[in-house]
């Protein structure tokens, strides 16, 4: 069963058109998972990326209600990246999201456009090819355009729970990238790092960007914003911030680059 009492299966918003997503660029291709074996492969990759190969399988009830995007190496079929998406018709459904477990998102209930939660994004820790991230974002861009999505959101994670490693990054988030007040998530989790309240330092921009997770860095380059606090998630051994991106706010030049990547 999923978190809302329904029998687990493909996300109720998925249809045959969704399952046809295929994007090929260079060595890599992106596609939707097509069955249990694909989802299990994604769960195994997530386990290695977020924890270790020996850790319990990274799986939860949200896997049964989301679409899963896989990025594979076309030469050998190896899975190199994955993420999952949960489509919502608007802010009135925000409580269904994974993020709502950790953040008070009542402010976003007023958002009227279509939304997609993007979660569990990971790249094989042995892979450092930037084309993997480009293909992943190309696939997401194709989906956003096709489905008329108005906002992407999710949790962007810093590895480990020691905030001292990331003070310049958090200071940068405070000074340049906090959510608009009308959408600002409130505190819900029992343990958080209130960086917007606590930090008084001026960020070192170079150090900040070096310590910023790649996914979050991409969101910010597109005009994304974050919560004013980070959740300390001891179970996943991460610090994460709620991250939102209003599609209309993406700079035109950046949109053109993304759409160019989204074409096979």
């Amino acid at each position: 069963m999923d978190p809302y009492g329904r029998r687990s299966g493909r996300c109720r918003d998925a249809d045959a058109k969704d399952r046809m997503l295929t994007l090929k660029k260079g060595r890599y291709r992106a596609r939707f998972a097509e069955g249990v074996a694909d989802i299990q492969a994604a769960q195994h990759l997530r386990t290695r990326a977020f924890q270790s190969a020996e850790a319990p399988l990274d799986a939860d009830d949200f896997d049964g209600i989301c679409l899963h995007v896989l990025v594979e190496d076309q030469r050998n079929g190896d899975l190199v990246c994955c993420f999952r998406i949960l489509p919502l018709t608007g802010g009135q459904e925000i409580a269904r999201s994974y993020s709502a477990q950790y953040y008070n998102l009542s402010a976003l209930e007023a958002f009227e456009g279509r939304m997609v939660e993007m979660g569990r994004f990971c790249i094989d820790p042995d892979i450092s090819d930037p084309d993997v991230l480009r293909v992943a974002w190309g696939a997401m861009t194709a989906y956003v355009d096709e489905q008329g999505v108005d906002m992407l959101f999710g949790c962007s994670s810093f590895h480990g729970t020691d905030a001292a490693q990331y003070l310049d990054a958090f200071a940068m988030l405070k000074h340049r990238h906090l959510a608009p007040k009308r959408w600002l998530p409130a505190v819900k989790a029992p343990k958080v790092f209130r960086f917007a309240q606590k930090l008084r330092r001026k960020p070192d921009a170079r150090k900040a960007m070096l310590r910023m997770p790649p996914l979050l860095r991409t969101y910010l380059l597109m005009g994304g914003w974050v919560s004013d606090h980070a959740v300390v998630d001891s179970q996943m051994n991460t610090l994460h911030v709620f991250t939102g991106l209003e599609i209309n706010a993406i700079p035109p030049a950046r949109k053109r680059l993304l759409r160019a990547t989204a074409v096979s």
Side-chain angles (χ1 to χ4, degrees):
M1 301 292 285
D2 70 29
Y4 314 102
R6 297 187 297 270
R7 192 173 297 277
S8 293
R10 285 185 57 80
C11 174
R12 65 182 177 85
D13 295 275
D15 56 21
K17 188 177 181 182
D18 289 326
R19 295 194 291 272
M20 294 303 291
L21 172 71
T22 302
L23 175 66
K24 297 180 180 180
K25 284 284 184 182
R27 287 172 45 182
Y28 304 106
R29 70 168 181 172
R31 64 177 178 86
F32 279 119
E34 297 177 354
V36 173
D38 279 347
I39 295 174
Q40 288 178 340
Q43 291 167 339
H44 281 288
L45 177 57
R46 285 163 18 191
T47 304
R48 285 203 305 118
F50 296 138
Q51 301 178 64
S52 69
E54 296 75 30
L57 189 67
D58 180 62
D60 62 22
D61 289 334
F62 286 88
D63 282 333
I65 63 169
C66 288
L67 294 164
H68 297 258
V69 179
L70 313 179
V71 179
E72 300 166 322
D73 189 325
Q74 295 189 83
R75 300 174 304 173
N76 50 26
D78 287 352
L79 181 63
V80 297
C81 172
C82 64
F83 59 93
R84 66 187 185 189
I85 57 179
L86 177 66
L88 305 175
T89 58
Q92 73 277 6
E93 290 192 314
I94 198 75
R96 294 181 55 224
S97 67
Y98 175 88
S99 302
Q101 298 178 107
Y102 301 99
Y103 302 88
N104 178 342
L105 302 177
S106 56
L108 279 163
E109 291 175 1
F111 190 84
E112 296 181 352
R114 290 177 62 83
M115 309 173 80
V116 165
E117 181 176 43
M118 183 177 182
R120 285 298 200 271
F121 186 100
C122 66
I123 295 175
D124 187 320
D126 296 328
I127 302 291
S128 58
D129 188 343
D131 281 346
V132 174
L133 186 60
R134 293 190 186 102
V135 170
W137 272 108
M140 191 72 245
T141 300
Y143 182 84
V144 164
D145 281 348
E146 182 181 272
Q147 299 297 318
V149 174
D150 298 295
M151 180 184 285
L152 289 178
F153 70 92
C155 299
S156 297
S157 298
F158 294 79
H159 182 69
T161 57
D162 181 10
Q165 301 181 65
Y166 305 108
L167 293 183
D168 283 295
F170 283 124
M172 178 73 77
L173 295 179
K174 172 186 176 177
H175 285 281
R176 299 187 184 178
H177 302 292
L178 288 185
K181 288 185 178 180
R182 68 185 185 279
W183 305 135
L184 187 66
V187 173
K188 181 177 183 179
K191 191 174 182 181
V192 301
F193 173 50
R194 297 175 183 258
F195 60 86
Q197 281 186 11
K198 292 187 174 183
L199 295 183
R200 299 289 182 267
R201 66 196 289 152
K202 182 178 180 180
D204 179 310
R206 186 184 67 83
K207 290 181 180 178
M209 297 312 289
L210 284 173
R211 301 299 285 157
M212 205 76 75
L215 179 64
L216 177 55
R217 191 160 57 234
T218 304
Y219 269 118
L220 299 179
L221 287 170
M222 291 190 290
W225 43 257
V226 300
S227 53
D228 60 2
H229 63 283
V231 170
V232 181
D233 190 336
S234 298
Q235 181 179 353
M236 292 296 295
N237 190 34
T238 61
L239 293 160
H240 57 75
V241 292
F242 182 88
T243 308
L245 174 64
E246 295 170 71
I247 304 304
N248 286 340
I250 301 175
R254 182 67 57 175
K255 279 185 179 178
R256 287 194 294 271
L257 286 173
L258 287 168
R259 285 173 176 150
T261 306
V263 178
S264 294

